[in-house]
mmCIF file of all heavy atoms in Angstrom:
data_model
loop_
_atom_site.group_PDB
_atom_site.id
_atom_site.type_symbol
_atom_site.label_atom_id
_atom_site.label_comp_id
_atom_site.label_asym_id
_atom_site.label_seq_id
_atom_site.Cartn_x
_atom_site.Cartn_y
_atom_site.Cartn_z
ATOM 1 N N TYR A 82 -0.881 52.787 125.088
ATOM 2 C CA TYR A 82 -1.171 51.358 125.252
ATOM 3 C C TYR A 82 -2.531 51.111 125.930
ATOM 4 O O TYR A 82 -2.753 50.017 126.402
ATOM 5 C CB TYR A 82 -0.058 50.736 126.059
ATOM 6 C CG TYR A 82 1.284 50.599 125.301
ATOM 7 C CD1 TYR A 82 2.282 51.514 125.540
ATOM 8 C CD2 TYR A 82 1.470 49.604 124.359
ATOM 9 C CE1 TYR A 82 3.499 51.445 124.852
ATOM 10 C CE2 TYR A 82 2.668 49.516 123.643
ATOM 11 C CZ TYR A 82 3.670 50.447 123.899
ATOM 12 O OH TYR A 82 4.822 50.376 123.193
ATOM 13 N N GLU A 83 -3.362 52.104 125.910
ATOM 14 C CA GLU A 83 -4.652 51.931 126.592
ATOM 15 C C GLU A 83 -5.506 50.817 125.933
ATOM 16 O O GLU A 83 -6.192 50.088 126.623
ATOM 17 C CB GLU A 83 -5.443 53.238 126.576
ATOM 18 C CG GLU A 83 -6.795 53.173 127.304
ATOM 19 C CD GLU A 83 -7.485 54.495 127.385
ATOM 20 O OE1 GLU A 83 -6.832 55.532 127.140
ATOM 21 O OE2 GLU A 83 -8.704 54.493 127.739
ATOM 22 N N PHE A 84 -5.440 50.689 124.631
ATOM 23 C CA PHE A 84 -6.212 49.685 123.906
ATOM 24 C C PHE A 84 -5.339 48.625 123.322
ATOM 25 O O PHE A 84 -5.648 48.100 122.287
ATOM 26 C CB PHE A 84 -7.085 50.391 122.865
ATOM 27 C CG PHE A 84 -8.112 51.297 123.404
ATOM 28 C CD1 PHE A 84 -7.922 52.668 123.395
ATOM 29 C CD2 PHE A 84 -9.296 50.798 123.971
ATOM 30 C CE1 PHE A 84 -8.863 53.515 123.925
ATOM 31 C CE2 PHE A 84 -10.259 51.648 124.503
ATOM 32 C CZ PHE A 84 -10.035 53.011 124.479
ATOM 33 N N ALA A 85 -4.223 48.380 123.986
ATOM 34 C CA ALA A 85 -3.297 47.321 123.534
ATOM 35 C C ALA A 85 -3.456 46.090 124.396
ATOM 36 O O ALA A 85 -3.822 46.151 125.583
ATOM 37 C CB ALA A 85 -1.839 47.817 123.644
ATOM 38 N N SER A 86 -3.247 44.893 123.830
ATOM 39 C CA SER A 86 -3.271 43.655 124.533
ATOM 40 C C SER A 86 -2.200 42.755 124.034
ATOM 41 O O SER A 86 -1.696 42.864 122.925
ATOM 42 C CB SER A 86 -4.673 42.961 124.351
ATOM 43 O OG SER A 86 -4.917 42.734 122.969
ATOM 44 N N ARG A 87 -1.745 41.803 124.873
ATOM 45 C CA ARG A 87 -0.678 40.888 124.514
ATOM 46 C C ARG A 87 -1.278 39.668 123.753
ATOM 47 O O ARG A 87 -2.376 39.228 124.049
ATOM 48 C CB ARG A 87 0.040 40.357 125.727
ATOM 49 C CG ARG A 87 0.661 41.410 126.634
ATOM 50 C CD ARG A 87 1.680 42.263 125.923
ATOM 51 N NE ARG A 87 2.806 41.517 125.346
ATOM 52 C CZ ARG A 87 3.842 42.059 124.773
ATOM 53 N NH1 ARG A 87 3.935 43.429 124.666
ATOM 54 N NH2 ARG A 87 4.840 41.355 124.282
ATOM 55 N N GLU A 88 -0.528 39.266 122.772
ATOM 56 C CA GLU A 88 -0.915 38.105 121.955
ATOM 57 C C GLU A 88 0.269 37.122 121.940
ATOM 58 O O GLU A 88 1.416 37.551 121.821
ATOM 59 C CB GLU A 88 -1.297 38.443 120.513
ATOM 60 C CG GLU A 88 -2.569 39.296 120.420
ATOM 61 C CD GLU A 88 -3.816 38.417 120.447
ATOM 62 O OE1 GLU A 88 -3.704 37.191 120.465
ATOM 63 O OE2 GLU A 88 -4.930 38.987 120.486
ATOM 64 N N THR A 89 -0.014 35.841 122.076
ATOM 65 C CA THR A 89 1.058 34.837 122.064
ATOM 66 C C THR A 89 0.938 33.955 120.804
ATOM 67 O O THR A 89 -0.167 33.441 120.537
ATOM 68 C CB THR A 89 0.992 33.933 123.339
ATOM 69 O OG1 THR A 89 1.152 34.766 124.446
ATOM 70 C CG2 THR A 89 2.136 32.911 123.292
ATOM 71 N N LEU A 90 2.006 33.786 120.127
ATOM 72 C CA LEU A 90 2.045 32.967 118.889
ATOM 73 C C LEU A 90 2.769 31.672 119.170
ATOM 74 O O LEU A 90 3.932 31.643 119.565
ATOM 75 C CB LEU A 90 2.769 33.733 117.762
ATOM 76 C CG LEU A 90 2.950 32.960 116.432
ATOM 77 C CD1 LEU A 90 1.603 32.567 115.796
ATOM 78 C CD2 LEU A 90 3.810 33.769 115.478
ATOM 79 N N LYS A 91 2.083 30.546 118.951
ATOM 80 C CA LYS A 91 2.720 29.234 119.099
ATOM 81 C C LYS A 91 2.991 28.714 117.712
ATOM 82 O O LYS A 91 2.103 28.586 116.880
ATOM 83 C CB LYS A 91 1.774 28.289 119.820
ATOM 84 C CG LYS A 91 2.362 26.901 120.069
ATOM 85 C CD LYS A 91 1.407 26.003 120.823
ATOM 86 C CE LYS A 91 2.024 24.603 121.043
ATOM 87 N NZ LYS A 91 1.098 23.718 121.747
ATOM 88 N N LEU A 92 4.265 28.390 117.457
ATOM 89 C CA LEU A 92 4.631 27.920 116.133
ATOM 90 C C LEU A 92 4.384 26.433 115.991
ATOM 91 O O LEU A 92 4.414 25.663 116.960
ATOM 92 C CB LEU A 92 6.146 28.156 115.956
ATOM 93 C CG LEU A 92 6.574 29.619 115.999
ATOM 94 C CD1 LEU A 92 8.117 29.757 115.989
ATOM 95 C CD2 LEU A 92 5.971 30.418 114.852
ATOM 96 N N SER A 93 4.105 26.009 114.746
ATOM 97 C CA SER A 93 3.860 24.599 114.396
ATOM 98 C C SER A 93 5.019 23.993 113.640
ATOM 99 O O SER A 93 5.794 24.765 112.995
ATOM 100 C CB SER A 93 2.601 24.495 113.555
ATOM 101 O OG SER A 93 1.469 25.002 114.263
ATOM 102 N N PRO A 94 5.224 22.702 113.680
ATOM 103 C CA PRO A 94 6.332 22.075 112.929
ATOM 104 C C PRO A 94 5.932 21.945 111.471
ATOM 105 O O PRO A 94 4.753 21.938 111.083
ATOM 106 C CB PRO A 94 6.442 20.719 113.573
ATOM 107 C CG PRO A 94 5.046 20.379 114.023
ATOM 108 C CD PRO A 94 4.431 21.724 114.442
ATOM 109 N N PRO A 95 6.908 21.809 110.560
ATOM 110 C CA PRO A 95 6.604 21.441 109.194
ATOM 111 C C PRO A 95 6.016 20.017 109.141
ATOM 112 O O PRO A 95 6.233 19.265 110.093
ATOM 113 C CB PRO A 95 7.919 21.527 108.494
ATOM 114 C CG PRO A 95 8.984 21.329 109.558
ATOM 115 C CD PRO A 95 8.375 21.909 110.815
ATOM 116 N N PRO A 96 5.259 19.694 108.071
ATOM 117 C CA PRO A 96 4.618 18.363 108.042
ATOM 118 C C PRO A 96 5.577 17.177 108.270
ATOM 119 O O PRO A 96 5.221 16.192 108.877
ATOM 120 C CB PRO A 96 4.041 18.327 106.621
ATOM 121 C CG PRO A 96 3.762 19.736 106.310
ATOM 122 C CD PRO A 96 4.880 20.522 106.940
ATOM 123 N N VAL A 97 6.823 17.291 107.782
ATOM 124 C CA VAL A 97 7.728 16.163 107.912
ATOM 125 C C VAL A 97 8.220 16.001 109.358
ATOM 126 O O VAL A 97 8.847 14.966 109.684
ATOM 127 C CB VAL A 97 8.985 16.308 106.981
ATOM 128 C CG1 VAL A 97 8.553 16.237 105.544
ATOM 129 C CG2 VAL A 97 9.707 17.611 107.273
ATOM 130 N N TRP A 98 7.989 16.955 110.222
ATOM 131 C CA TRP A 98 8.318 16.865 111.638
ATOM 132 C C TRP A 98 7.122 16.600 112.527
ATOM 133 O O TRP A 98 7.250 16.636 113.734
ATOM 134 C CB TRP A 98 9.042 18.110 112.087
ATOM 135 C CG TRP A 98 10.481 18.194 111.586
ATOM 136 C CD1 TRP A 98 11.148 17.300 110.858
ATOM 137 C CD2 TRP A 98 11.362 19.259 111.804
ATOM 138 N NE1 TRP A 98 12.416 17.723 110.561
ATOM 139 C CE2 TRP A 98 12.588 18.939 111.149
ATOM 140 C CE3 TRP A 98 11.314 20.496 112.488
ATOM 141 C CZ2 TRP A 98 13.699 19.763 111.166
ATOM 142 C CZ3 TRP A 98 12.416 21.353 112.522
ATOM 143 C CH2 TRP A 98 13.591 20.994 111.847
ATOM 144 N N ASP A 99 5.970 16.342 111.941
ATOM 145 C CA ASP A 99 4.815 16.005 112.759
ATOM 146 C C ASP A 99 5.091 14.743 113.571
ATOM 147 O O ASP A 99 5.570 13.729 113.033
ATOM 148 C CB ASP A 99 3.608 15.747 111.864
ATOM 149 C CG ASP A 99 2.912 16.992 111.441
ATOM 150 O OD1 ASP A 99 3.161 18.085 112.045
ATOM 151 O OD2 ASP A 99 2.128 16.991 110.456
ATOM 152 N N GLY A 100 4.905 14.807 114.851
ATOM 153 C CA GLY A 100 5.049 13.603 115.714
ATOM 154 C C GLY A 100 6.419 13.538 116.405
ATOM 155 O O GLY A 100 6.628 12.679 117.303
ATOM 156 N N ILE A 101 7.420 14.349 115.994
ATOM 157 C CA ILE A 101 8.740 14.266 116.651
ATOM 158 C C ILE A 101 8.659 15.115 117.935
ATOM 159 O O ILE A 101 7.905 16.019 118.090
ATOM 160 C CB ILE A 101 9.873 14.694 115.781
ATOM 161 C CG1 ILE A 101 9.862 16.219 115.559
ATOM 162 C CG2 ILE A 101 9.862 13.988 114.452
ATOM 163 C CD1 ILE A 101 11.113 16.731 114.876
ATOM 164 N N GLU A 102 9.555 14.783 118.883
ATOM 165 C CA GLU A 102 9.617 15.511 120.161
ATOM 166 C C GLU A 102 10.083 16.962 119.915
ATOM 167 O O GLU A 102 10.930 17.197 119.087
ATOM 168 C CB GLU A 102 10.546 14.809 121.104
ATOM 169 C CG GLU A 102 10.069 13.450 121.585
ATOM 170 C CD GLU A 102 8.810 13.560 122.434
ATOM 171 O OE1 GLU A 102 8.692 14.566 123.159
ATOM 172 O OE2 GLU A 102 7.961 12.640 122.358
ATOM 173 N N PRO A 103 9.519 17.903 120.709
ATOM 174 C CA PRO A 103 9.928 19.322 120.555
ATOM 175 C C PRO A 103 11.411 19.518 120.719
ATOM 176 O O PRO A 103 12.030 20.325 120.044
ATOM 177 C CB PRO A 103 9.140 20.020 121.674
ATOM 178 C CG PRO A 103 7.916 19.176 121.835
ATOM 179 C CD PRO A 103 8.402 17.781 121.639
ATOM 180 N N LYS A 104 12.057 18.811 121.686
ATOM 181 C CA LYS A 104 13.506 18.936 121.882
ATOM 182 C C LYS A 104 14.252 18.517 120.667
ATOM 183 O O LYS A 104 15.285 19.129 120.295
ATOM 184 C CB LYS A 104 13.946 18.151 123.125
ATOM 185 C CG LYS A 104 13.474 18.728 124.437
ATOM 186 C CD LYS A 104 14.062 17.930 125.595
ATOM 187 C CE LYS A 104 13.667 18.543 126.940
ATOM 188 N NZ LYS A 104 14.233 17.795 128.100
ATOM 189 N N GLU A 105 13.809 17.476 119.975
ATOM 190 C CA GLU A 105 14.492 17.034 118.821
ATOM 191 C C GLU A 105 14.302 18.097 117.672
ATOM 192 O O GLU A 105 15.278 18.281 116.928
ATOM 193 C CB GLU A 105 13.892 15.624 118.348
ATOM 194 C CG GLU A 105 14.458 15.156 117.031
ATOM 195 C CD GLU A 105 15.927 14.901 117.033
ATOM 196 O OE1 GLU A 105 16.550 14.819 118.124
ATOM 197 O OE2 GLU A 105 16.524 14.733 115.943
ATOM 198 N N ALA A 106 13.158 18.652 117.575
ATOM 199 C CA ALA A 106 12.948 19.681 116.569
ATOM 200 C C ALA A 106 13.845 20.860 116.823
ATOM 201 O O ALA A 106 14.463 21.419 115.873
ATOM 202 C CB ALA A 106 11.457 20.133 116.532
ATOM 203 N N CYS A 107 14.038 21.268 118.076
ATOM 204 C CA CYS A 107 14.974 22.368 118.414
ATOM 205 C C CYS A 107 16.384 22.027 118.031
ATOM 206 O O CYS A 107 17.129 22.857 117.521
ATOM 207 C CB CYS A 107 14.869 22.702 119.902
ATOM 208 S SG CYS A 107 13.295 23.403 120.379
ATOM 209 N N ARG A 108 16.798 20.779 118.307
ATOM 210 C CA ARG A 108 18.151 20.351 117.973
ATOM 211 C C ARG A 108 18.392 20.439 116.462
ATOM 212 O O ARG A 108 19.445 20.944 116.013
ATOM 213 C CB ARG A 108 18.387 18.945 118.446
ATOM 214 C CG ARG A 108 19.826 18.432 118.274
ATOM 215 C CD ARG A 108 19.944 16.941 118.512
ATOM 216 N NE ARG A 108 19.223 16.134 117.513
ATOM 217 C CZ ARG A 108 19.716 15.891 116.310
ATOM 218 N NH1 ARG A 108 20.876 16.404 115.912
ATOM 219 N NH2 ARG A 108 19.021 15.195 115.436
ATOM 220 N N ARG A 109 17.414 20.027 115.688
ATOM 221 C CA ARG A 109 17.535 20.053 114.207
ATOM 222 C C ARG A 109 17.618 21.506 113.733
ATOM 223 O O ARG A 109 18.380 21.850 112.800
ATOM 224 C CB ARG A 109 16.413 19.328 113.536
ATOM 225 C CG ARG A 109 16.419 17.833 113.867
ATOM 226 C CD ARG A 109 15.271 17.122 113.140
ATOM 227 N NE ARG A 109 15.150 15.720 113.585
ATOM 228 C CZ ARG A 109 14.303 14.844 113.042
ATOM 229 N NH1 ARG A 109 13.464 15.230 112.056
ATOM 230 N NH2 ARG A 109 14.268 13.607 113.473
ATOM 231 N N VAL A 110 16.814 22.367 114.308
ATOM 232 C CA VAL A 110 16.820 23.800 113.931
ATOM 233 C C VAL A 110 18.190 24.400 114.244
ATOM 234 O O VAL A 110 18.762 25.108 113.392
ATOM 235 C CB VAL A 110 15.710 24.585 114.662
ATOM 236 C CG1 VAL A 110 15.902 26.066 114.489
ATOM 237 C CG2 VAL A 110 14.328 24.177 114.071
ATOM 238 N N CYS A 111 18.697 24.081 115.409
ATOM 239 C CA CYS A 111 20.051 24.635 115.791
ATOM 240 C C CYS A 111 21.107 24.159 114.821
ATOM 241 O O CYS A 111 22.021 24.937 114.463
ATOM 242 C CB CYS A 111 20.397 24.198 117.228
ATOM 243 S SG CYS A 111 19.392 25.013 118.515
ATOM 244 N N GLU A 112 21.055 22.903 114.373
ATOM 245 C CA GLU A 112 22.009 22.415 113.364
ATOM 246 C C GLU A 112 21.893 23.203 112.077
ATOM 247 O O GLU A 112 22.923 23.579 111.470
ATOM 248 C CB GLU A 112 21.754 20.948 113.111
ATOM 249 C CG GLU A 112 22.208 20.017 114.205
ATOM 250 C CD GLU A 112 22.008 18.557 113.855
ATOM 251 O OE1 GLU A 112 21.419 18.271 112.789
ATOM 252 O OE2 GLU A 112 22.445 17.691 114.631
ATOM 253 N N MET A 113 20.670 23.472 111.625
ATOM 254 C CA MET A 113 20.507 24.250 110.405
ATOM 255 C C MET A 113 21.106 25.641 110.553
ATOM 256 O O MET A 113 21.758 26.161 109.652
ATOM 257 C CB MET A 113 19.008 24.375 110.044
ATOM 258 C CG MET A 113 18.377 23.090 109.584
ATOM 259 S SD MET A 113 16.660 23.440 109.073
ATOM 260 C CE MET A 113 16.121 21.781 108.736
ATOM 261 N N VAL A 114 20.822 26.299 111.705
ATOM 262 C CA VAL A 114 21.296 27.663 111.884
ATOM 263 C C VAL A 114 22.810 27.624 111.934
ATOM 264 O O VAL A 114 23.470 28.560 111.406
ATOM 265 C CB VAL A 114 20.715 28.238 113.195
ATOM 266 C CG1 VAL A 114 21.343 29.564 113.527
ATOM 267 C CG2 VAL A 114 19.161 28.419 113.025
ATOM 268 N N CYS A 115 23.419 26.667 112.589
ATOM 269 C CA CYS A 115 24.907 26.584 112.587
ATOM 270 C C CYS A 115 25.483 26.434 111.205
ATOM 271 O O CYS A 115 26.537 27.052 110.878
ATOM 272 C CB CYS A 115 25.359 25.415 113.461
ATOM 273 S SG CYS A 115 25.098 25.658 115.233
ATOM 274 N N GLU A 116 24.797 25.689 110.355
ATOM 275 C CA GLU A 116 25.249 25.564 108.947
ATOM 276 C C GLU A 116 25.162 26.902 108.227
ATOM 277 O O GLU A 116 26.043 27.259 107.457
ATOM 278 C CB GLU A 116 24.397 24.521 108.212
ATOM 279 C CG GLU A 116 24.594 23.067 108.713
ATOM 280 C CD GLU A 116 23.593 22.112 108.108
ATOM 281 O OE1 GLU A 116 22.814 22.523 107.290
ATOM 282 O OE2 GLU A 116 23.663 20.884 108.419
ATOM 283 N N VAL A 117 24.090 27.626 108.489
ATOM 284 C CA VAL A 117 23.911 28.929 107.840
ATOM 285 C C VAL A 117 25.044 29.886 108.291
ATOM 286 O O VAL A 117 25.641 30.614 107.466
ATOM 287 C CB VAL A 117 22.540 29.542 108.232
ATOM 288 C CG1 VAL A 117 22.466 31.018 107.777
ATOM 289 C CG2 VAL A 117 21.441 28.758 107.521
#
């Protein structure tokens, strides 16, 4: 790990969720996962 570094990935919403609150996006994702 001498030449290793940490990278952080921030996810973006799909276009239809642009502008909604992050908590609401999480709630919708959890609903989808429960359906799956």
Side-chain angles (χ1 to χ4, degrees):
Y82 290 100
E83 183 175 345
F84 295 101
S86 58
R87 302 301 301 184
E88 293 279 353
T89 301
L90 175 63
K91 183 179 179 181
L92 300 172
S93 299
V97 294
W98 285 358
D99 280 343
I101 72 169
E102 292 294 326
K104 288 185 179 180
E105 175 62 16
C107 293
R108 186 190 67 78
R109 296 182 187 184
V110 168
C111 290
E112 285 183 354
M113 289 185 186
V114 172
C115 288
E116 292 172 2
V117 169

